[in-house]
Every structure is written in C-alpha cells, then in structure tokens.
C-alpha cells in the first residue's frame, strides 16, 4: 500500500468546532498551513504558524469577502500533477506552492434558508470559492486529499494520527466521492430555492444520508431509506423500522392528518382496516379496532390525540408493530415501552410534501399530492332523495377514507366508523362485494350505512347491489357516461347519491 505524505494544507472552514486537534496534528508534522479570514485568525489564536492566502496570491480579499481564494496560484497548487514535468515547470515558473490537503466546508445555505432569513441573506450563503476548491481537490484525488464536511473531520484526524500524516489512494478516492456528494447536494438545494415556481422541468433530489434497512420489501431484497425521519417523528421505543413499516407509517400519517376529531386508524399493507372518529379518543380506538379486529393483528396504529394509560392498557392487549401519536402520558409510555421490540413513535408537526414521486421504467413519475378533501360545499346531490345531516357527516368521513385506499376502492361507513372495505380490486363491483363481505364477517350492520367510491360507477350494477344490501346513501365522483343510469335507479328506489367531482385513484 502506497502512502502519500501531506506537506501542505489549505484550510478555510465555516464550522471550526472540531478544527483544533486536526491543526495541532498537522503542525506537529511540520505541515505548511495556508488559510483565510476567520479560519486564519482561529489558527493563529492556537499559537500555530499559518500563512495567509493573500501573501501567496499577492491579491487581497475583495467584494466583501466574496472573492478570496479564486486565484490561479491557489488552484494551480491544488490541481498540479506531481509526476508530470509540464505541471512542475509551470509551478516553478509561476512560483506556485503545492497544496496536498484541502479542508473546506461550505456556507450553511440550507440552515440559513430554514431559519426564515431574507432572500438577500440566503443568496449570500451561496458558496462559490469553497465549492470550487472542493471540486478541484476532488478531481485531483490522485495527488490531493479533500475534506468537505465536518462529519469527516474525525476520519481525517484518525488518518493523520495513525498514518504519520499521509493518505492512501483508496482514502483519497473515498473522500473525493464524498466531496462531490457534498457539492451536488448543495447545488440541488440552491436549484430548488431558485426554481420555486417551478419554471424549469427537471427532476433533482438529494438526501445527504441514507439509512440502511434490515431488508427491503422481502428478506432477499436490500433496502435503504433516504431522508430525515426526525422531522416526522421521535422514536421512543422499539426495534428499527423496516421497509414495510415505513410504507405503513407513511399511509397512517397521510390518513390521520385528514381528520380533526379524535380519531384512530389501523393500517395493514397501506390500507385502513380500522378507522373511527368519536368525541372521546378511547371510544375512537375501540370503534377503529372493531372494524376488523383480525386484520389489526400486526398492524400500524395511529391517532391524532394523546394516548393515556387507559388507552395504552387496551391497546396493549393486541399485537401490533407500530403505535403513532402526538403525545403519550408518562404512565402510558411506561407500559408501552415494556416490550423492547414494540415501536412507539411520537409524531411531530410535519408538512406533508406537495409532490409525490415514483420510480418506474428507468425513470421517475412526479405528481401533485392528492390534497383535495371535499367538504359540504363540494357535495352535489344528484338524486331527488336528500341525505340528512348525519349521513352528510358520514359521507365526508367515508370520502376522506376512500381517498387513502388502494384502487379500485369501496368503503362502507356507519356513524364515522369503517365497517367494511374492498381494496385494490380489478373491478368496482368486486370491490363492493369485498366490502360487504368484510362488514358481515364482523357482524356490522350494512343496512343504512354510507358507501364511498374512489371513482365513478361505469354501470348501474354497483348501486343495484348496494340497494339489495340495504345501503341507501352513496358518495362518488361522478363522471361516467352512464351516470344517469345510476341516478335513475337511485331515484326509483329512494337512494340518495352525491357527486363530488373529484376522483381519488390511488395505486
């Protein structure tokens, strides 16, 4: 293994919290240190000799610090190929000192943006010199070492200490890849800030860290999550979340966020098998569980209310994978955390992204999130028979629920409780058949419940079946060329039907 000694270093960092031990090791090995501005002042304050970049370029920092290191002497020292005679002759001819280590981090653009700073302040945090220095050193990794983020300071210190202030090609290659990762992530954040309309149609996304999962959808598949789960919830207890857990947690958070009354949902394979709203949160839990107590086994449970000891004791009677709520009382947590593998998540206020993405066919699909939640104002009663207020409330509840159910979807609701659902069926009549069958399996009274469909009825067969089962209230988008057939049947047989004008396919 070949080691390349570090004899000179250019250091210019925004975050100086872990800088002292690194600079000390470099000084102990006689490394020539070049620096600028605040970093130069910091190093001098440690009593360590440092050379200003200005003294080798003969050019001062200008434009309020916007231009400090953008100079051929600096970039010549970084980009020179030390085994190429033409490069060495240029270095000698222009009196360019070699630079073996570039240690630079970037202005905190994302942190400044998140702080609510003004547009002018955000723009000033777009780093130019730092990005250029990092790219130059990363390109020349065969001869130069680059460290581009504070998270790698400990790695650099370990290398310097253990390897007598020298690096291997493998280490330099890794740090170069990390540098381009840092720069590309930085540039992506800037692009999204400037392309807010958006006016440029381009798919760019970047997450700086990936969390390796136990496996993917199945044990023979690898899985990684890219993102920041700490923004969404705080993990209070339990094993690592799996790929499938994350899918169900996402479904649960999307669903429960559409409800303001005390509510509970139980999610299984991205669909609700239990959902209820009540004035009392304990009653909401009992009603949600009663929807399908068999499917609830091993499911994901979510609420929009505080979980107290009484609710926790009842939930504790069943096996579940994940419990999500905005708050837990201390005595509830004491009980819920007794089982070390049980995952307990405290949800945080989280703005659900407005865009959704899906990879397929070697590319990416993008769409707006389905954020439409119909209210009374969007309800168009198309039948002569009018639904009463309680049925209108159940229709609003059911329509929210069917929006989050895999298509083709039918849900049956009574008194703001999911009593049956047909999910992911290839025909709408089959989805209705499944919903009725599930409701009857758990002794729910289908008669006089509300039926919600995620898309229009292509034929009148669904309303005919609904009528035979005693269902008298239907909510659906409308839009079929045969809508009138369904309307006529409802009018003849005393059913009330509402059109919303919004389809809610979910695939």
């Amino acid at each position: 293994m070949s080691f390349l000694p570090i004899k000179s270093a250019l250091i210019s960092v925004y975050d100086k919290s872990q800088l002292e031990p690194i600079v000390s090791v470099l000084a102990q090995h006689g490394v020539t240190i070049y620096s600028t501005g605040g970093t130069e002042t910091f190093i001098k304050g440690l009593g360590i000799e440092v050379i200003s970049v200005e003294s080798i370029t003969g050019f001062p920092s200008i434009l309020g610090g916007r231009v400090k290191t953008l100079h051929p002497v600096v970039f010549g020292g970084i980009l020179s190929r030390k085994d190429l005679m033409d490069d060495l002759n240029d270095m000698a001819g222009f009196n360019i000192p070699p630079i073996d280590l570039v240690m630079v981090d970037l202005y905190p653009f994302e942190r400044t943006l998140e702080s609510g700073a003004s547009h002018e302040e955000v723009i000033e945090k777009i780093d130019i010199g730092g990005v250029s220095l990092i790219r130059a050193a990363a390109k020349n990794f065969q001869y130069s070492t680059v460290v581009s983020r504070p998270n790698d300071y400990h790695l650099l210190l370990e290398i310097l200490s253990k390897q007598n202030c020298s690096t291997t090609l493998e280490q330099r290659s890794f740090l170069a890849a990390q540098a381009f990762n840092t720069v590309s992530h930085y540039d992506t954040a800037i692009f999204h800030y400037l392309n807010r309309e958006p006016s440029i149609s381009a798919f760019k996304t970047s997450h700086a860290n990936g969390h390796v999962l136990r496996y993917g959808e199945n044990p023979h598949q690898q899985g990684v999550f890219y993102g920041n789960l700490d923004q969404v919830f705080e993990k209070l207890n339990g094993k690592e979340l799996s790929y499938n857990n994350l899918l169900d947690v996402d479904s649960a958070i999307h669903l429960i966020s559409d409800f303001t009354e005390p509510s509970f949902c139980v999610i299984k394979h991205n669909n609700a098998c239990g959902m209820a709203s009540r004035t009392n949160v304990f009653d909401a839990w009992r009603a949600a569980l009663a929807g399908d107590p068999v499917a609830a086994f091993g499911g994901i449970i979510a609420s929009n209310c505080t979980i107290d000891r009484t609710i926790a004791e009842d939930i504790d009677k069943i096996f579940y994978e994940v419990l999500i709520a905005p708050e837990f009382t201390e005595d509830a947590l004491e009980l819920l955390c007794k089982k070390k593998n049980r995952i307990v998540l405290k949800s945080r206020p989280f703005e659900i992204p407005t865009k959704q993405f899906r990879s397929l066919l070697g590319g990416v699909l993008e769409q707006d999130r389905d954020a439409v939640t119909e209210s009374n104002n969007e309800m168009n009663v198309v039948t002569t028979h009018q639904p009463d207020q309680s049925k209108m409330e159940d229709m609003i509840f059911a329509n929210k629920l069917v929006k989050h159910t895999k298509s083709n979807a039918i849900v049956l609701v009574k008194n703001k409780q999911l009593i049956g659902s047909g999910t992911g069926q290839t025909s709408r009549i089959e989805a209705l058949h499944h919903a009725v069958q599930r409701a009857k399996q758990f002794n729910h009274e289908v008669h006089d419940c509300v039926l919600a469909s995620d898309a229009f009825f292509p034929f009148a067969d669904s309303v005919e079946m609904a009528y035979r089962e005693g269902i008298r209230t239907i909510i659906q988008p409308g839009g079929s060329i045969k809508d009138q057939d369904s309307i006529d049947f409802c009018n003849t047989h005393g059913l009330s039907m509402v059109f919303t004008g919004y389809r809610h396919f979910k695939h």
Side-chain angles (χ1 to χ4, degrees), residues 179-205:
F180 282 113
N181 178 36
T182 298
V183 171
S184 65
H185 178 80
Y186 194 79
D187 286 344
T188 298
I190 296 169
F191 168 79
H192 283 301
Y193 175 72
L194 296 176
N195 192 46
R196 283 169 291 179
E197 291 302 326
S199 56
I200 300 171
S201 180
F203 176 74
K204 295 181 187 295
T205 186

Side-chain angles (χ1 to χ4, degrees), residues 233-274:
F233 52 72
E234 178 186 358
K235 186 164 173 282
L236 303 177
N237 189 66
K239 60 186 178 181
E240 289 296 310
L241 286 153
S242 70
Y243 181 99
N244 292 325
N245 286 157
L246 289 171
L247 288 175
D248 284 336
V249 167
D250 180 71
S251 296
I253 289 174
H254 277 76
L255 173 58
I256 206 71
S257 67
D258 266 352
F259 293 83
T260 55
E261 292 181 89
S263 301
F264 260 96
C265 69
V266 184
I267 300 294
K268 200 73 173 288
H269 296 291
N270 311 140
N271 290 303
C273 58

Side-chain angles (χ1 to χ4, degrees), residues 113-185:
L113 184 59
E114 290 166 0
S115 73
S118 68
H119 174 71
E120 290 73 20
E121 291 173 304
V122 171
I123 293 299
E124 282 306 309
K125 286 298 184 285
I126 297 178
D127 205 314
I128 302 301
V131 169
S132 302
L133 293 168
I134 289 171
R135 289 180 63 88
K139 174 180 178 176
N140 204 34
F141 70 88
Q142 188 171 346
Y143 310 94
S144 300
T145 302
V146 60
V147 176
S148 59
R149 58 180 198 149
N151 286 353
D152 289 329
Y153 288 2
H154 71 284
L155 174 60
L156 176 64
L157 182 60
E158 182 180 352
I159 290 172
L160 297 176
S161 302
K162 290 184 177 180
Q163 296 175 190
N164 199 30
C165 215
S166 62
T167 60
T168 66
L169 180 61
E170 182 180 10
Q171 290 165 344
R172 294 192 301 276
S173 177
F174 169 79
L175 289 169
Q178 188 62 266
F180 282 113
N181 178 36
T182 298
V183 171
S184 65
H185 178 80

Side-chain angles (χ1 to χ4, degrees), residues 295-348:
F297 180 87
I300 308 295
I301 303 170
S303 178
N304 57 3
C305 293
T306 299
I307 305 299
D308 62 20
R309 178 77 180 201
T310 302
I311 301 170
E313 287 175 348
D314 207 66
I315 292 175
D316 194 54
K317 296 174 183 177
I318 71 167
F319 169 72
Y320 61 91
E321 286 277 338
V322 183
L323 174 60
I324 313 164
E327 294 289 345
F328 297 85
T329 61
E330 189 175 337
D331 54 352
L333 268 182
E334 181 184 4
L335 172 64
L336 294 170
C337 294
K338 283 184 176 179
K339 296 178 182 178
K340 65 178 183 178
N341 286 333
R342 174 185 285 154
I343 301 169
V344 180
L345 306 177
K346 180 181 176 181
S347 57
R348 290 186 163 128

Side-chain angles (χ1 to χ4, degrees), residues 66-101:
R66 280 190 163 196
V67 180
K68 289 181 285 191
T69 56
L70 295 168
H71 195 282
V73 168
V74 174
F75 283 88
I78 296 171
L79 287 164
S80 63
R81 292 156 291 188
K82 297 173 178 62
D83 56 1
L84 191 65
M85 188 55 64
D86 286 347
D87 283 12
L88 296 176
N89 288 338
D90 284 342
M91 298 274 286
F94 293 101
N95 196 28
I96 298 174
I99 297 175
D100 303 318
L101 168 66

Side-chain angles (χ1 to χ4, degrees), residues 326-385:
E327 294 289 345
F328 297 85
T329 61
E330 189 175 337
D331 54 352
L333 268 182
E334 181 184 4
L335 172 64
L336 294 170
C337 294
K338 283 184 176 179
K339 296 178 182 178
K340 65 178 183 178
N341 286 333
R342 174 185 285 154
I343 301 169
V344 180
L345 306 177
K346 180 181 176 181
S347 57
R348 290 186 163 128
F350 174 63
E351 187 175 343
I352 297 174
T354 58
K355 297 292 184 182
Q356 294 179 322
F357 307 98
R358 180 175 292 187
S359 61
L360 76 170
L361 300 175
V364 177
L365 275 177
E366 174 186 320
Q367 69 169 353
D368 296 334
R369 178 173 69 89
D370 185 357
V372 172
T373 303
E374 296 92 324
S375 63
N376 282 337
N377 295 332
E378 286 83 29
M379 303 297 182
N380 177 26
V381 181
V382 295
T383 53
T384 54
H385 192 271

